[in-house]
Amino acid sequence: MKKPLIGALFAVLLLGAGIAPAAAATGHDAATTGAAGAKVRADAKAKPKAVNFAGTVALSNCSGSVVRTPDSQPSDPALVLSNGHCMETGFPGPGKVVIDQPSSRSFTLLNASGSGVGTLRASKIAYGTMTDTDMAVYQLTSTYAQIESSYGIKALELDTAHPVEGTAITVVSGYWKRTYSCNVDGFVYRLKEGEWTWKDSVRYTSACQTIGGTSGSPVIDNATGKVVAVNNTGNEDGQQCTDNNPCEVDESGNVTVRQGINYAQQTYGVVPCIGAGNKFDLNRAGCELPKP
């Protein structure tokens, strides 16, 4: 996992003042390969939507974003998307699912330029897990309409479709006020890290050198402006299947280690699980998220 950061509350206070802490340097290869460039979809070659920080948030230890489904209404309580490993309750163990757990967590809302414009507060963790995916969704005390009225900021929309290999994407970190641009390099049948296993993970091309604190960042399709995944981990040291060193496992059980490569968890699968009033219903048709 892109570990939650110690002392991050101070960084969030800085973000609220419009000042970002310096990002740590990494040794990852920053060059996108020619093969990756050749895989860009035709529709991604069209003029992309401008990707900025509007709608992203900074947590005390991670990044996140205010999100909506295509069916969310202005009067619905807004949702914030981040990682399961970013929850204030700690890493949920394998098989553990959190649903409708009270929370008063706060989030610093960012505008397009990355300045903190206000504080949003959760009423509960609507859904959280590190099984099959690494996702936490908070329900806020504010509605989408209230957020837009107060700050002029709209929620980011969750895409309903599986992303496509070669898609040009941007990882937007509200914690660091920093973006990472690359492409979807492919998909991982099983991504294993320590105790946890995730399904059909997104693998980035090498240009996305995400670091600690970028956990929970929305992964945005440059062509549509929609959220297609949530950033969560990367192989830091070249170790195999250990904490902070996820490994790829194919359908035959073959293991591949890609040091310096980072990953995200797809989000299209969460949309069928959210019903009227933005309430999670894991029994809805098409919902395949793990259940408690």
Side-chain angles (χ1 to χ4, degrees), residues 137-187:
V137 180
Y138 289 84
Q139 181 174 297
L140 302 184
T141 57
S142 305
T143 66
Y144 296 114
Q146 289 170 333
I147 293 172
E148 186 171 358
S149 175
S150 296
Y151 308 110
I153 294 173
K154 295 183 178 181
L156 301 175
E157 185 174 332
L158 295 170
D159 203 328
T160 60
H162 190 292
V164 177
E165 183 176 347
T167 298
I169 54 174
T170 302
V171 182
V172 186
S173 173
Y175 181 90
W176 288 112
K177 290 175 43 175
R178 179 174 174 181
T179 62
Y180 303 80
S181 296
C182 59
N183 295 78
V184 174
D185 188 52
F187 304 96

Side-chain angles (χ1 to χ4, degrees), residues 2 23-30 176 178 180 206-212 214 235-236 260 262:
K2 293 299 177 187
T26 68
H28 299 175
D29 176 20
W176 288 112
R178 179 174 174 181
Y180 303 80
S206 60
C208 279
Q209 301 176 46
T210 51
I211 60 175
T214 64
N235 188 293
E236 297 180 0
N262 297 290

Side-chain angles (χ1 to χ4, degrees), residues 70-81:
D71 294 328
S72 294
Q73 300 300 307
S75 59
D76 288 340
L79 303 176
V80 162
L81 171 69

